[in-house]
């Protein structure tokens, strides 16, 4: 090694480069850029970066959100940096997971205001939360954690028990948690890439018993599902999934799927949106081999929370209708999504897909990212926003 | 740099951090002992902060405070910072011009590193001039020892990475790749 000046380094670089033609194996691109076609190589599109701090309620442009007549929206709680999935405790505490903030929050409703407590921090994308028998379950990337008797110790939370260990790959493995009618805990294990042949352990929805035993794959060929619910009447599983990137602005669609029983394969990485064979991985395969989606949700809309409505506050036509919160696109030159849609499922009829809450972007400007949905005891809606770190309250008055 | 900033502004609207630059300057006084005057450190192993994107600095401080990132010198400092302190400090350091650090570099390693930076797509996240953007740090002109330490930590999965993207990027790097990349990056003149 020798001491050199910056200019001599630049000169030396020039010489070496001139003498040595580039013979170097190209590495796989970063996860989010991978699968990009050569024509899109210079595309400036990249995932929406998330702010390092939540936005105070007064600066959140909630007045820009449009809703059907009779519905209103307000900021219910702020200061919940990067808020994602929500779950109620039995004593009225709302638990809130996050991704990049690494924290889990407990929100206590004090009537005129909401008190926000941090009950865990420094976790690896603890996006999924679920509650049962006094215990809070938290899914971070590598582990399923259980905080027992949590509502009695919000100010001094117990050390969690590790109930289950997930594969450690981070990409597309921020999880939702959902209790099944069978008493098991359902979660997603996404593809660790944009488009690839996923290892057997990934690109699925799976379930375990509450004590972490009895792991089973439930649905396969699922690229990246971040929201699911069981139908209130049939008790069958419906879930949303994100389609692959870098096939252009219009394809493929993100999708809604129906998995009435375990064992279906939903197509990834061979077939997208039920009718597009993947240009690389689909060679020699046909979409007819796989379970088709129930509904195309739009290209790149990024559906997150998905919940059926069982309350009685909203008008009767919303009974058993599903709400799909869509955080919005990044891999598209014109933004799409940034809204909440409704999906009405009637036997023997195509699903009815309509806008419910719209306006979380203005052109290229992100005004918020609706992520997960939870219901208030009175039947009104809580909607989390992982961009502003807030929870909105959407209610209805005749 | 200006072009990059304009392009970024057009693709995502960043919420204005309610940051106070003068407060940031005041709060940065105790940091100068290690991070140097104007955020340009001279102690080997200690990173320069000048010219880092505000979101990167802010996120780094959040991670030191919540324990995802650990360092015997930095962790106690971050433990005492409020959200407002972090916003002020991050905004202040983003305004300071980064200066090249006097360091001993190996030209042959740097030449190999330049090719690696392209073939490993470092430039696609850190920008073509390795000047960083949003939560992605500026690398150009950073301290050699620090770059070596961080690249090894990302490869080992112990860097407290926010989303896991940098950890993924570091997985294929050999010891020699890390040496070569660090010598290249450290020798770049940081764009003002």
């Amino acid at each position: 090694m020798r001491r050199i000046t910056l200019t001599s380094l630049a000169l030396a670089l020039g010489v070496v480069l001139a003498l040595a033609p580039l013979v170097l194996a190209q590495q796989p691109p970063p996860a989010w850029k991978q699968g990009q076609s050569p024509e899109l190589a210079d595309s400036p599109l990249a995932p929406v970066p998330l702010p390092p701090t939540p936005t105070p309620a007064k600066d959140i442009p909630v007045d820009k959100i449009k809703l059907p007549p009779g519905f209103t929206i307000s900021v219910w709680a702020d200061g919940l940096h990067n808020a994602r999935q929500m779950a109620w405790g039995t004593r009225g505490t709302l638990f809130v997971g996050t991704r990049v903030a690494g924290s889990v929050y407990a929100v206590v409703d004090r009537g005129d205001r909401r008190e926000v407590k941090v009950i865990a921090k420094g976790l690896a994308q603890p996006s999924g939360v679920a509650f049962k028998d006094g215990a809070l379950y938290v899914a971070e990337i590598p582990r399923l954690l259980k905080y027992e008797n949590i509502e009695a110790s919000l100010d001094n939370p117990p050390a969690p028990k590790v109930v289950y260990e997930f594969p450690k790959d981070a990409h597309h493995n921020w999880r939702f948690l959902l209790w099944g009618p069978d008493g098991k805990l359902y979660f997603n294990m996404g593809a660790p890439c944009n488009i690839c042949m996923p290892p057997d352990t990934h690109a699925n929805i799976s379930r375990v018993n509450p004590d972490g035993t009895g792991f089973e794959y439930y649905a396969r060929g699922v690229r990246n599902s971040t929201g699911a619910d069981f139908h209130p009447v049939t008790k069958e599983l419906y879930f949303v999934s994100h389609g692959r990137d870098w096939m252009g602005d219009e394809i493929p669609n993100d999708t809604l799927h129906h998995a009435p029983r375990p064992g279906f394969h939903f197509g990834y990485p061979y077939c997208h949106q039920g009718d597009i064979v993947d240009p690389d991985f689909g060679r020699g395969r046909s979409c007819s081999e796989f379970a088709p989606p129930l509904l195309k949700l739009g290209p790149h809309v990024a559906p997150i929370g998905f919940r059926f409505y069982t309350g009685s506050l909203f008008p009767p036509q919303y009974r058993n209708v599903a709400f799909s919160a869509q955080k919005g696109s990044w891999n598209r030159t014109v933004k799409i999504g940034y809204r909440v849609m409704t999906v009405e499922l009637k036997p023997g009829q195509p699903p009815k897909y309509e806008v419910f809450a719209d306006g979380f972007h203005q052109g290229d400007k992100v005004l918020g990212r609706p992520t997960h949905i939870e219901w208030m005891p009175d039947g009104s809606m809580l909607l989390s926003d992982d961009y502003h770190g807030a929870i909105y309250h959407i209610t209805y008055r005749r | 740099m200006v072009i990059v900033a304009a392009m970024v502004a057009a693709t995502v609207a960043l919420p204005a951090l309610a940051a106070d630059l003068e407060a940031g300057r005041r709060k940065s006084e105790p940091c100068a002992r290690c991070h140097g005057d104007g955020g340009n450190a001279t102690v080997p192993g200690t990173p320069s902060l000048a010219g880092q994107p505000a979101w990167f600095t802010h996120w780094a401080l959040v991670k030191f405070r919540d324990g995802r990132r650990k360092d015997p010198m930095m962790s106690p400092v971050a433990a005492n910072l409020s959200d407002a302190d972090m916003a002020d400090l991050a905004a202040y350091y983003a305004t300071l011009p980064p200066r090249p650090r006097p360091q001993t570099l190996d030209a042959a390693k740097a030449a190999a590193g330049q090719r690696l930076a392209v073939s490993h797509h470092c430039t696609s996240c850190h920008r073509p001039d390795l000047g960083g953007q949003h939560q992605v740090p500026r690398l150009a002109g950073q301290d050699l020892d620090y770059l070596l330490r961080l690249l090894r930590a990302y490869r080992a999965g112990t860097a407290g990475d926010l989303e896991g993207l940098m950890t993924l990027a570091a997985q294929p790097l050999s010891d020699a790749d890390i040496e070569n990349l660090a010598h290249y990056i450290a020798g770049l003149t940081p764009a003002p």
Side-chain angles (χ1 to χ4, degrees), chain A residues 59-384:
Chain A
D59 298 333
I60 299 176
V62 74
D63 54 309
K64 299 287 190 298
I65 309 309
K66 292 178 286 294
L67 291 159
F71 288 91
T72 52
I73 182 168
S74 57
V75 177
W76 185 74
D78 66 349
L80 294 137
H81 188 193
N82 191 227
R84 297 280 292 206
Q85 199 179 12
M86 299 167 279
W88 286 107
T90 40
R91 297 193 212 163
T93 315
L94 185 78
F95 295 100
V96 186
T98 69
R99 271 193 59 206
V100 284
S103 311
V104 180
Y105 299 101
V107 186
V108 182
D109 196 346
R110 302 275 182 222
D112 59 335
R113 70 194 169 87
R114 256 60 59 184
E115 190 181 335
V116 176
K117 298 169 190 279
V118 179
I119 56 169
K121 59 181 184 171
L123 297 178
Q125 307 195 40
S127 59
V129 287
F131 192 91
K132 189 168 235 161
D133 298 333
L136 172 69
Y137 292 76
V138 173
E140 60 162 354
I141 301 248
R143 301 178 304 173
L144 176 61
L145 305 172
K146 182 182 182 186
Y147 297 81
E148 278 168 349
N149 198 17
I150 180 74
E151 282 184 290
S153 47
L154 292 178
D155 292 314
N156 188 16
K161 290 188 175 152
V162 180
V163 174
Y164 188 75
E165 294 197 27
F166 301 113
K168 292 189 174 33
D169 318 67
H171 201 59
H172 291 156
N173 277 268
W174 38 94
R175 305 175 206 287
F176 67 77
L177 288 176
L178 172 69
W179 293 109
D182 51 5
K184 292 174 192 275
L185 201 46
Y186 287 68
F187 48 83
N188 55 308
M189 300 206 284
C193 55
N194 169 32
I195 183 77
C196 62
M197 190 57 68
D200 231 27
T201 46
H202 289 68
N204 62 65
I205 291 177
S206 296
R207 60 182 177 189
V208 286
N209 295 320
D211 64 359
T213 61
F215 172 89
E216 283 173 309
Y217 296 115
Y218 191 84
R220 289 187 184 272
V222 181
R223 178 178 174 274
N224 176 23
S225 172
T226 46
D229 203 1
F230 287 90
H231 191 278
V233 178
T234 67
K235 310 291 181 207
E236 292 171 352
L237 181 69
Y238 289 79
F239 67 89
V240 290
S241 184
H242 297 218
R244 64 160 290 185
D245 297 314
W246 301 121
M247 282 181 77
D249 277 8
E250 302 306 334
I251 55 167
N253 275 255
D254 295 341
T255 41
L256 171 62
H257 299 270
H258 179 202
R261 308 181 292 284
F264 287 100
H265 192 296
F266 291 90
Y268 183 87
Y270 313 104
C271 168
H272 310 293
Q273 67 166 49
D275 53 16
I276 297 177
V277 173
D278 189 81
D280 299 315
F281 293 91
R283 283 195 202 121
R285 309 298 296 247
S286 150
C287 282
S288 63
E289 297 171 52
F290 308 104
L294 194 64
L295 179 67
K296 295 174 184 169
L297 298 174
H300 310 291
V301 296
I304 310 286
F306 181 83
R307 293 293 298 274
F308 287 101
Y309 187 70
T310 54
S312 50
L313 178 77
F314 291 2
Q317 66 264 31
Y318 287 98
R319 204 84 216 275
N320 297 340
V321 161
F323 286 78
S324 165
Q326 306 181 344
K327 76 175 166 63
S329 65
W330 65 265
N331 193 238
R332 195 171 192 274
T333 52
V334 179
K335 283 195 166 20
I336 184 175
Y338 300 89
R339 63 190 182 187
V340 181
M341 302 291 287
T342 53
V343 185
E344 191 180 341
L345 303 168
K346 282 205 179 130
Q349 288 178 30
K352 203 160 122 201
Y353 186 45
E354 287 176 346
V355 176
F356 177 70
D358 204 3
F360 289 93
H361 76 111
Q362 263 178 356
D364 267 351
K365 201 166 160 201
V366 175
L367 301 185
R369 300 208 314 177
T371 52
H372 279 276
I373 296 164
E374 185 52 272
W375 307 113
M376 288 285 263
D378 72 350
S380 54
M381 177 191 281
L382 294 180
L383 178 67
S384 61

Side-chain angles (χ1 to χ4, degrees), chain B residues 73-84:
Chain B
M73 283 189 265
M74 242 344 263
S75 299
V77 173
N80 296 318
L81 297 176
S82 69
D83 290 349

Side-chain angles (χ1 to χ4, degrees), chain A residues 1-4 6 8-9 12-14 16-17 20-33 44-55 59 81-82 99-103 121-125 170-171 174 192 335 364-366 387-388, chain B residues 7 10-15 17-18 54-55 58-59 62 65-68 83 87 100-112 114-116 118-121 124-125 127 133-135 144 161-165 168 172 179 183-184 186-189:
Chain A
M1 219 189 275
R2 64 194 168 89
R3 189 161 184 98
I4 50 169
L6 290 164
S8 70
L9 172 61
L13 280 176
V16 174
L17 285 177
L22 302 183
V23 273
L24 206 76
Q26 187 71 3
Q27 291 296 315
W32 61 267
K33 226 176 158 43
L45 298 177
V48 174
L50 293 167
T53 183
T55 310
D59 298 333
H81 188 193
N82 191 227
R99 271 193 59 206
V100 284
S103 311
K121 59 181 184 171
L123 297 178
Q125 307 195 40
H171 201 59
W174 38 94
K335 283 195 166 20
D364 267 351
K365 201 166 160 201
V366 175
Y387 191 77
H388 289 304
Chain B
M7 187 183 76
T11 49
V12 281
L14 312 178
L17 289 181
W55 282 18
H58 195 144
W59 269 120
V62 167
R65 187 177 58 185
D66 71 26
R68 272 180 284 181
D83 290 349
R101 297 175 66 137
Q103 40 192 347
T104 308
L105 300 172
D106 183 297
K109 286 180 181 171
Q114 179 172 32
R115 295 190 297 263
L116 288 166
V118 175
S119 68
H120 282 263
H121 306 270
S124 83
C125 294
R127 309 297 310 166
Q133 55 175 341
H134 310 310
Q135 77 276 44
L144 178 68
D161 194 345
L162 209 54
E163 294 196 80
L165 293 175
L168 215 57
E179 281 271 326
H183 278 263
Y184 167 62
L188 290 173
T189 305

